[in-house]
Amino acid sequence: MKRLLIGLGLSCLALIPVRAADAPRELAVCADPAALPYSNQRQEGFENRIARLLADDLGATLRFTWNMQRRGFLRRTLNAGECDVVIGVPAGLQGLLTGRPYYASSFVFVTRTGQAVPQGFDDPVLRGQRIGVQVLGAEGANTPPVQALAQRGLAAQVRGFPMWGPEEDETPMAHLVDAVADGSIDMALVWGPYAGFFAQRHGAKLQVTPVLSDPRQPDLAFRYPMSLGVRRGDAALLQTLQSVLDRRAAEVRRILQEYGVPLVDSGDLQVAHLEGK
């Protein structure tokens, strides 16, 4: 996952009226070719769907620039001029213009239905459990859940699942959720959109519970508001796209729900690091 910085979004952009002349003839979107539930080259992800909604509303041709969303993604794509918008970045990501958040999600516990759900990181139910987490390796720092578990001396109970697999594996995070379903581990702490999407494949067997904070580390962010991102000089484009998101908000929300994205209140927009989406 790429290093992300959370801050204040540009909420004023959507208040400016959009003229038809402002609509781009081509909507060039930076996207990952193998990163469900977000996107893939078959355009099966929810960000592909949202990009299509934006383009159709504006009467624009939709073009994707495909590049793996790992270290240097923005440098190789958006900032290189290969494409003009990223459909999902944390609100206020430094170096970009970002719009008002159109959804917020969080890390979640994934447990088997009927199993005790931890009420936080200090819940005694965590003791002795095999806990699966996302492992980022050389790409960046530990996720907030890993930091919270380590702070409580639970590192020995953690089993890491690589965030990225071989290039032919489009869904490495599915293995983490599947491991809860088949009993290989007792529970998992996963970024919400991954967890919700892959848990759906197991029907009612799994439950997903948002984790919104750690009382011992109040500055450690677990939920992130997500926005559109464009280059700093492309305020007019962002204004145009934000206007469409505002008008089509109900449809966007239905797309997110269809993909099982756990939706939470954005809370206070705090400055924090997250490796990836």
Side-chain angles (χ1 to χ4, degrees):
M1 295 179 177
K2 56 184 180 289
R3 184 166 299 274
L4 302 178
L5 188 66
I6 304 300
L8 291 175
L10 302 178
S11 59
C12 62
L13 290 175
L15 303 179
I16 305 172
V18 176
R19 302 183 304 276
D22 294 327
R25 294 183 178 180
E26 177 185 74
L27 185 62
V29 176
C30 319
D32 194 307
L36 288 177
Y38 292 98
S39 69
N40 67 9
Q41 284 186 299
R42 297 184 297 279
Q43 302 184 30
E44 296 170 329
F46 69 80
E47 289 188 352
N48 301 132
R49 292 268 301 277
I50 292 170
R52 172 57 62 189
L53 182 150
L54 292 169
D56 288 351
D57 186 281
L58 296 170
T61 300
L62 178 61
R63 174 175 64 83
F64 288 101
T65 292
W66 304 109
N67 203 287
M68 301 294 283
Q69 285 198 8
R70 303 185 183 183
R71 187 182 297 276
F73 170 75
L74 293 175
R75 172 178 51 79
R76 296 189 301 269
T77 57
L78 190 71
N79 292 331
E82 296 294 326
C83 42
D84 299 319
V85 61
V86 182
I87 298 299
V89 298
L93 178 62
Q94 285 188 344
L96 302 181
L97 286 180
T98 61
R100 181 165 56 250
Y102 66 93
Y103 78 98
S105 194
S106 70
F107 285 92
V108 301
F109 282 109
V110 180
T111 53
R112 290 183 290 278
T113 301
Q115 177 184 1
V117 178
Q119 298 305 300
F121 293 102
D122 292 307
D123 195 322
V125 75
L126 289 172
R127 298 288 171 181
Q129 299 294 300
R130 298 165 297 173
I131 307 169
V133 298
Q134 298 167 243
V135 173
L136 305 173
E139 292 289 337
N142 286 328
T143 62
V146 173
Q147 295 179 53
L149 293 171
Q151 204 267 349
R152 290 160 173 82
L154 300 177
Q157 298 173 213
V158 170
R159 178 178 169 188
F161 287 73
M163 181 65 208
W164 297 285
E167 287 193 10
E168 63 272 15
D169 184 357
E170 292 190 6
T171 57
M173 284 296 95
H175 307 313
L176 173 50
V177 176
D178 293 346
V180 180
D182 67 23
S184 299
I185 56 176
D186 298 305
M187 62 183 66
L189 278 158
V190 193
W191 174 233
Y194 291 122
F197 181 72
F198 296 120
Q200 284 184 329
R201 300 182 177 185
H202 298 282
K205 189 172 184 177
L206 297 178
Q207 54 190 349
V208 171
T209 307
V211 183
L212 301 181
S213 64
D214 176 4
R216 294 196 192 181
Q217 303 177 85
D219 293 332
L220 191 61
F222 286 80
R223 55 184 161 187
Y224 294 85
M226 306 301 290
S227 308
L228 298 177
V230 302
R231 286 181 293 274
R232 285 180 174 176
D234 287 345
L237 174 62
L238 181 59
Q239 169 194 321
T240 299
L241 297 176
Q242 184 72 58
S243 178
V244 177
L245 281 183
D246 290 345
R247 288 189 290 100
R248 309 290 290 272
E251 294 164 79
V252 171
R253 187 176 182 86
R254 283 196 293 271
I255 291 171
L256 295 169
Q257 291 172 332
E258 179 182 334
Y259 281 77
V261 176
L263 300 175
V264 302
D265 291 336
S266 60
D268 295 331
L269 298 184
Q270 54 190 306
V271 176
H273 290 287
L274 167 66
E275 289 299 322
K277 293 183 175 180

